[in-house]
Amino acid sequence: MAEAIKQKGHLAHAGHGSHDSGDHGHGHDHHDQEEMKTFGFWLFLITDVILFGVLFATYVVLRNNTAGGPLGSELIEMPGIIASTFILLTSSFTSGIALLEMNKGNKKGLITWLIITALLGASFIYLEVNEFIHLVHEGANIGTSAYWSAFFTLVGTHGLHVSLGLVWMTVLIVQIRRRGITPVTKRKVNIVSLYWHFLDVVWIFVFTIVYLMGVM
Amino acid sequence: MWDKIKDFSSEFFVTGDPLILGAQVSIAITMVAIVFVLTYFKKWRWLWTEWLTSVDHKKIGIMYIIASILMLFRGGVDALLMRMQLAAPQLEFLNAEHYNQIFTTHGVIMILFMAMPLMFGLFNIVVPLQIGARDVAFPFLNSLSFWMFFFGAMLFNMSFVIGGSPDAGWLAYPPLSGLSGSPGVGQDFYIWGIQISGIGSLATGINFIVTILKMRAPGMKLMKMPMFTWSVLSSCTTIIFAFPILTVTLFLLFLDRYMGAHFFTLDGGGNPMMYINLIWMWGHPEVYIVILPAFGIFSEIVSAFSKKKLFGYKSMVFALMSISFFSFFTWAHHFFTMGTGANVNAFFAVTTMLIAIPTGVKVFNWLFTMYRGKLSFPTPMMWTVAFIPCFVIGGMTGVLLSVAPADFQFHNSYFLIAHFHQVLIGGVVFGYFAGLYYWWPKMFGFKLHEGLGKWAFWFWNIGFYVCFMPQYALGLMGMTRRFNEYNFDMGWQPLNVVSTVGGFLMGIAFLFQVWQIAHSIKFYKKEKTGDTWDGRTLEWSIPSPAPMYNFARTPIVTEQDDWWEKKQRRLRGEADAPEVVQAEQAPLEPIHMPRNSGVPFVMSAFWFTAGFGFVWDWKWMIVLGLGGVIVTMLVRSFTYNTDYYIPVEEIERTEAAARGAH
C-alpha cells in the first residue's frame, strides 16, 4: 500500500501542470505529460466521432431530398472514388510503418515513411478536389439541393480533416528533423497517427454509406 | 467619399433607437475611460503579464467569474426591459423588433455567456485545489478556452450596437433564422459568437476530464473524491458528447446562410425540423451541464455546514452519472407539438419522467445530510436551503410538462417560462451564488460581508417568487411567450404587474451584491486561517488565496473528506498514517510549472477577426483571421520551452509569508 502510494505520489508530482519542456533531466515528467496528452487526444477523438456522427445522420435524413435536381448516382464516378479509397487505406498502413520505425529509433525511416504517408494523403485530397470540380461542372454544388448540401458537407469535412492532418504531418517532419526522436516528438507522432487512422475509419463509413449505398 | 462613409456607418452601426444610442455612447465612454486608467496608472504591462497571458487556473477562474458577472448584468437589464414592456397592455416601450432582439440576447447571454463561464470559473478555481493538483492537465488549453469564450461573447454582444442583434430566439430556429427569415447580420453574429465560444467549452470539457482522472493526489480513489469534483466530471462528460452537436448544427446553419446550402431551408429539399432536433440534442444536455455542478456545490455546502459526511455518497455519484447519461434521451420533449407521432412522444415523455428520479434521490440525500447535523446558516448555506424547495417546485412543474398530451396546452406558454426559470434560477443561479460565497475567501483571501449578503439573498428569493409564480398562472390563462404586447381584455395585466415588480426586486438584489463586493473590498479583512468554514476537503488545507503552486508538498489522501478527518484526528490527539506524516515532513522539491503564454489571447483574437469577417462577408478579414489562427497554432507547435521550475527557496518564502500570518 505504502509502496503504491509512493509510486502514485511520484506520478502525481510529475503530472502537475505544464507542457513539454526543453532538455532537462526529468524523464518521468515527460512520460506522464505525454501520456496525459495522448489521453486528452483520445477524448478529442470522441468529440470528433460525434461531429461526424451528426453529419452522417444529416446525410441519411436528407439522402432522398434532391428537389428534382440530379441524383448522386447520376453524377458520381466510382473508379476515382475506389482509387482514392485504396490510397487512403495504404496511407494508414504507411503511417503504421512510420510508427514502427520510430519505435526502433530510426529517425530517417520515420521521416521517410511520414513523407510517403503525407504524399498519399495529398493524392487523396487531389482526387477529392478533382471529383468536386467535376461535380460542380456537371451542375451539382452545395446549393443544388439538400442532398448535395449534405454530400458536400460530409465529404468536405472529412477532406478538411485530412488536409489539416497533412499540414500537421509536415510540421512534425520539420520538428523531428530538428530535434530527433524525443518523448515529445514521439508523442506527437503517436497522436498524429491516431488521428490519421481515425480519418481512415471515418472514410470507410463515408465510402460505405455515401458511395456504396448511395451510388451503386 | 463622405456619403460613402455615411452609407457604410448607417448599415454598420445600429441607429435610430434612443436606448441603443445611449448604450453606444456609454460603451464608448467606458472604453475610453478604461484605456485612460490603464495608461495613466501604467497598468498595461501588468494586465498583460499577470492576467491576459496567465495560464494559472486560479486567475483564469477569476477572469471567467468577472466576465460572467458582467454578462449577468447585461442579461438582467434585458430581462428588466422585457418586464417593463409587459407591465401594461399595449405599451409602446419596445417595438416588436426590439423586443425580439432582447428576448433572444437575454436567453443566449444568460445560458451561454453567464451560466457557462460562471460554471467554468468555479471548475477552474476549485477542482485542482480539491484534488490536490497544481494546475489543470492542459493549462495552455485552459487559457485558450477562456479567451475563446471571451472573444466569442464579445462578438455576440457587439451585435447590439454594430449591425443589429439577432432576433430569432435563443435557439434560432430556421426558417426564421435562415437567410429568408433573417437577412440581416444579427444572426451571423449569433452563429460566430456561439461557435467560437463553444469550441472553448469543448476544450474545457476535455481538460477537466483528464485533470480529474489523471491528476488526483495519491490515495484519492474515485470514490473518495469530493462531490463537487464528481459533478464536474459528470458535467464535462456531458459536454464532450453534446457540444460537437452544437458545433455541427451551427455550422450547417452557417452553410445555409453563407453558401446557399439547403439543410434547413423550406425550398431545395431542406428540413427545418431537423435543426430543431439537432439543436435540442445539444440543448437539453446543456441544461444538465449547467445544473450538475450546482448539485455538486450544494453537496459540498450542505455537508460542510451540517458538520456531517454527505448522506448517500454512492447514490449521489450514481445519480450524477445517470443524469449525464439520460440527459441525451429527453430532447424531443421540447417539441411534443411538432407532430412526430404518439410513440415518439411517449418515449420522450417516459425518459423525461425517469430523469426526475435521480434528481429526487439527491434532494433526499441533502435533507438527510442535514438531519441531526450541527447546522449553521451563513450565506452559502442559506442559498442551499432556499434552493431545495424552489428546485422541487420547478422539478414538479417539469414533470407536468413532460406529460405529452398536457404539453399541448403548456407548450410555449408562460407556464413553461416559469418552469425553466425556476430550475435555472432556483437551481443553477442559486447554486453558483452559493458556490461563489463559499469559495470567495479561497479565491481572494477575504470573506464577503454577511449582512449585505443576507439582504441580497432575501431580495433574490422574494423577488424570484413574486416574479415567476404569477407566470405559471399567466401561462394557464393562455399567455404565450415572445409577444411584446397583449390586449386589455385578456385580463393579464394584474399578474404581469406583480411579475414585473418581482423582476425589479431581483434587480435590487443584484445591486446589493455589487454593494456587498465593493463593501467587502473597502473594509478588507484578511481571512487568515485558509479554512474559513472549517471545511472538509483539501482546498481548505492551504492558505487563502492559494499560492501559485497550490500545494507546497503533494498531499496524501487516505479517506473521503480527508482534511476534515485529519483535523478530527488531531483534535483527538491521534497520529496520521505513517505515509502521510512522511510526506508532510519530506523536504520541499522544486515545483514544475507551466510558463505564461500570449498565444491563447492572440489566437482567440484572430478567431474573433475571422468571425467578424464572416459576419460582414469581408474576404480579406476572413483570410487574415483564419491565417492568423493557423500561424499562432504553428507558433505553439514549435515552442518547446513551455515550463520552468519554482526553486525551493521561493516556495519557502511564499509559504512563510502565507502561513506566518496567523
Side-chain angles (χ1 to χ4, degrees):
Chain A
M1 176 65 193
E3 193 52 39
I5 284 182
K6 233 167 141 187
Q7 269 186 3
K8 203 149 176 243
H10 207 56
L11 218 144
H13 160 75
H16 286 307
S18 85
H19 294 256
D20 20 87
S21 69
D23 311 299
H24 51 70
H26 294 256
H28 56 91
D29 283 11
H30 281 311
H31 176 68
D32 303 326
Q33 276 301 308
E34 308 317 326
E35 193 186 50
M36 275 206 301
K37 288 190 176 176
T38 310
F39 179 53
F41 193 78
W42 275 104
L43 294 179
F44 165 76
L45 284 184
I46 293 180
T47 69
D48 230 16
V49 168
I50 309 275
L51 184 138
F52 277 108
V54 177
L55 289 175
F56 274 112
T58 310
Y59 175 83
V60 170
V61 169
L62 299 175
R63 70 190 182 283
N64 295 322
N65 298 17
T66 48
L71 299 170
S73 53
E74 288 166 17
L75 302 183
I76 294 168
E77 285 171 358
M78 281 308 279
I81 306 299
I82 291 169
S84 64
T85 303
F86 278 103
I87 288 172
L88 198 65
L89 290 180
T90 313
S91 81
S92 216
F93 179 68
T94 56
S95 85
I97 299 178
L99 231 62
L100 289 178
E101 291 296 324
M102 178 177 78
N103 290 339
K104 272 192 252 163
N106 181 359
K107 178 175 158 186
K108 216 172 139 202
L110 169 62
I111 292 178
T112 313
W113 284 104
L114 279 182
I115 290 175
I116 293 172
T117 308
L119 286 176
L120 288 169
S123 5
F124 172 85
I125 292 298
Y126 172 77
L127 287 176
E128 183 158 285
V129 170
N130 262 348
E131 187 210 358
F132 279 13
I133 290 172
H134 160 77
L135 290 172
V136 171
H137 200 69
E138 297 283 317
N141 59 49
I142 195 167
T144 306
S145 67
Y147 167 80
W148 288 106
S149 302
F151 170 87
F152 280 108
T153 307
L154 173 56
V155 181
T157 304
H158 178 268
L160 201 65
H161 272 75
V162 175
S163 312
L164 275 177
L166 289 178
V167 175
W168 191 359
M169 240 178 241
T170 316
V171 168
L172 252 183
I173 290 168
V174 177
Q175 293 185 12
I176 296 164
R177 185 163 278 178
R178 278 195 200 163
R179 294 178 177 267
I181 299 171
T182 69
V184 178
T185 51
K186 217 170 169 172
R187 182 258 308 164
K188 288 187 176 185
V189 175
N190 270 318
I191 286 182
V192 87
S193 86
L194 262 181
Y195 181 73
W196 203 253
H197 292 313
F198 166 75
L199 291 179
D200 211 22
V201 173
V202 172
W203 179 257
I204 289 171
F205 281 91
V206 173
F207 184 68
T208 312
I209 292 173
V210 177
Y211 292 105
L212 289 184
M213 291 164 75
V215 179
M216 295 190 90
Chain B
M1 179 68 188
W2 177 242
D3 284 337
K4 238 174 136 180
I5 293 173
K6 237 166 71 178
D7 276 356
F8 169 76
S9 50
S10 72
E11 194 198 340
F12 190 71
F13 292 106
V14 178
T15 51
D17 188 311
L19 280 174
I20 293 180
L21 185 68
Q24 280 165 333
V25 171
S26 56
I27 289 171
I29 292 174
T30 314
M31 282 188 351
V32 171
I34 290 172
V35 171
F36 176 77
V37 168
L38 285 173
T39 313
Y40 185 81
F41 291 102
K42 301 198 171 71
K43 288 287 184 191
W44 283 105
R45 176 162 287 278
W46 166 83
L47 185 68
W48 178 256
T49 53
E50 291 293 313
W51 293 95
L52 304 191
T53 60
S54 176
V55 294
D56 180 348
H57 68 99
K58 300 178 287 294
K59 286 187 175 169
I60 290 174
I62 289 171
M63 289 193 287
Y64 265 122
I65 287 170
I66 292 171
S68 68
I69 290 174
L70 289 175
M71 289 292 105
L72 176 64
F73 174 73
R74 155 104 208 253
V77 170
D78 282 347
L80 292 183
L81 289 173
M82 281 189 283
R83 282 315 319 165
M84 267 155 79
Q85 168 65 25
L86 292 173
Q90 293 177 327
L91 211 60
E92 283 179 16
F93 173 59
L94 302 174
N95 61 29
E97 188 197 359
H98 199 173
Y99 188 83
N100 291 350
Q101 294 177 343
I102 285 181
F103 70 65
T104 302
T105 54
H106 169 75
V108 173
I109 286 173
M110 284 303 202
I111 295 281
L112 289 163
F113 302 135
M114 190 283 284
M116 291 292 281
L118 192 48
M119 173 179 97
F120 289 148
L122 291 169
F123 283 14
N124 264 289
I125 283 159
V126 181
V127 171
L129 299 182
Q130 271 198 334
I131 63 173
R134 292 204 169 108
D135 207 319
V136 294
F138 312 121
F140 173 88
L141 186 67
N142 196 26
S143 163
L144 182 63
S145 291
F146 171 75
W147 288 110
M148 292 292 273
F149 145 71
F150 181 83
F151 278 104
M154 286 306 111
L155 188 61
F156 180 86
N157 274 276
M158 250 171 115
S159 64
F160 151 60
V161 288
I162 290 175
S165 296
D167 56 0
W170 84 279
L171 285 184
Y173 288 179
L176 181 58
S177 61
L179 206 51
S180 57
S182 302
V185 292
Q187 206 51 49
D188 301 308
F189 275 113
Y190 172 96
I191 290 171
W192 283 97
I194 297 179
Q195 193 71 290
I196 290 171
S197 73
I199 298 169
S201 306
L202 194 55
T204 305
I206 294 174
N207 210 338
F208 276 86
I209 293 180
V210 180
T211 307
I212 293 171
L213 292 183
K214 294 277 181 189
M215 293 177 69
R216 296 191 310 281
M220 186 183 275
K221 299 214 170 67
L222 280 175
M223 291 311 274
K224 287 178 185 167
M225 269 186 344
M227 195 50 67
F228 179 68
T229 302
W230 263 114
S231 72
V232 174
L233 185 62
S234 67
S235 172
C236 287
T237 315
T238 318
I239 288 178
I240 66 165
F241 285 96
F243 266 76
I245 310 178
L246 175 72
T247 307
V248 175
T249 312
L250 290 177
F251 180 62
L252 300 184
L253 185 64
F254 161 74
L255 289 179
D256 269 10
R257 295 177 57 87
Y258 190 78
M259 308 276 283
H262 288 290
F263 288 103
F264 312 123
T265 54
L266 289 173
D267 59 340
N271 185 350
M273 292 201 284
M274 189 169 65
Y275 179 92
I276 299 172
N277 272 291
L278 288 174
I279 199 83
W280 280 115
M281 282 180 198
W282 159 77
H284 196 80
E286 164 66 15
V287 296
Y288 284 101
I289 288 167
V290 290
I291 192 69
L292 287 168
F295 292 157
I297 293 169
F298 292 129
S299 303
E300 296 289 340
I301 290 174
V302 111
S303 153
F305 296 109
S306 306
K307 301 253 170 284
K308 267 178 71 188
K309 257 200 173 62
L310 186 67
F311 181 91
Y313 180 95
K314 283 181 186 160
S315 64
M316 198 66 120
V317 170
F318 185 75
L320 289 171
M321 297 318 271
S322 63
I323 288 178
S324 94
F325 176 77
F326 278 115
S327 68
F328 285 94
F329 301 97
T330 63
W331 80 84
H333 69 215
H334 294 273
F335 43 86
F336 281 141
T337 54
M338 188 154 77
T340 31
N343 288 336
V344 173
N345 280 1
F347 174 82
F348 285 98
V350 170
T351 52
T352 307
M353 291 172 202
L354 273 180
I355 206 168
I357 295 172
T359 314
V361 167
K362 285 204 286 283
V363 170
F364 284 111
N365 283 342
W366 293 315
L367 292 178
F368 285 128
T369 306
M370 282 191 267
Y371 178 66
R372 291 199 160 174
K374 221 162 143 195
L375 295 173
S376 57
F377 290 94
T379 36
M381 185 64 164
M382 287 174 76
W383 286 101
T384 306
V385 172
F387 147 82
I388 292 175
C390 195
F391 198 78
V392 168
I393 301 172
M396 285 194 301
T397 56
V399 175
L400 292 179
L401 282 158
S402 78
V403 180
D407 184 66
F408 278 67
Q409 286 301 313
F410 302 139
H411 187 77
N412 270 357
S413 74
Y414 264 77
F415 190 87
L416 167 78
I417 305 296
H419 157 71
F420 75 68
H421 280 92
Q422 184 144 22
V423 283
L424 285 173
I425 296 180
V428 177
V429 176
F430 283 15
Y432 294 174
F433 280 165
L436 211 51
Y437 284 114
Y438 184 61
W439 282 300
W440 186 279
K442 191 47 66 188
M443 289 181 233
F444 297 105
F446 64 93
K447 265 168 88 169
L448 285 171
H449 188 264
E450 280 282 306
L452 286 166
K454 285 183 178 162
W455 278 96
F457 170 84
W458 286 111
F459 268 98
W460 262 110
N461 271 274
I462 296 170
F464 172 79
Y465 286 99
V466 173
C467 183
F468 290 103
M469 290 301 127
Q471 294 188 7
Y472 282 116
L474 282 167
L476 296 176
M477 288 159 75
M479 183 164 162
T480 48
R481 71 196 294 200
R482 292 175 176 165
F483 281 94
N484 69 322
E485 52 179 33
Y486 51 90
N487 273 330
F488 285 95
D489 52 6
M490 303 304 286
W492 297 341
Q493 186 182 10
L495 286 176
N496 268 307
V497 171
V498 175
S499 183
T500 302
V501 170
F504 277 88
L505 289 179
M506 286 188 275
I508 293 169
F510 179 75
L511 295 181
F512 267 109
Q513 288 176 308
V514 175
W515 183 14
Q516 182 190 17
I517 293 173
H519 183 275
S520 311
I521 293 173
K522 193 170 170 212
F523 298 96
Y524 174 87
K525 205 168 131 249
K526 171 106 179 110
E527 205 289 298
K528 286 176 188 155
T529 63
D531 189 4
T532 322
W533 315 101
D534 196 9
R536 308 179 72 83
T537 38
L538 286 179
E539 74 268 34
W540 304 109
S541 68
I542 51 172
S544 298
M548 166 186 196
Y549 46 76
N550 297 351
F551 296 88
R553 293 179 183 83
T554 301
I556 306 277
V557 175
T558 52
E559 56 212 308
Q560 184 200 330
D561 290 345
D562 196 71
W563 172 238
W564 172 261
E565 298 300 339
K566 187 179 276 176
K567 285 189 290 188
Q568 295 308 107
R569 269 201 303 277
R570 284 178 189 167
L571 281 179
R572 291 195 300 265
E574 291 167 23
D576 288 327
E579 65 262 25
V580 175
V581 177
Q582 196 194 352
E584 277 175 1
Q585 288 167 353
L588 288 169
E589 282 178 50
I591 295 174
H592 191 192
M593 294 297 284
R595 266 185 217 286
N596 284 357
S597 169
V599 173
F601 181 88
V602 178
M603 192 193 292
S604 309
F606 277 120
W607 271 110
F608 176 91
T609 312
F612 197 77
F614 275 116
V615 168
W616 294 96
D617 197 9
W618 293 340
K619 300 278 188 301
W620 63 271
M621 207 180 213
I622 299 170
V623 172
L624 175 75
L626 293 181
V629 170
I630 291 171
V631 169
T632 43
M633 279 182 182
L634 291 180
V635 166
R636 176 64 186 177
S637 182
F638 280 95
T639 309
Y640 272 67
N641 183 16
T642 53
D643 51 4
Y644 69 106
Y645 281 82
I646 302 180
V648 171
E649 304 81 64
E650 197 184 322
I651 304 169
E652 278 170 352
R653 262 203 313 279
T654 316
E655 287 294 303
R659 307 256 179 195
H662 54 256

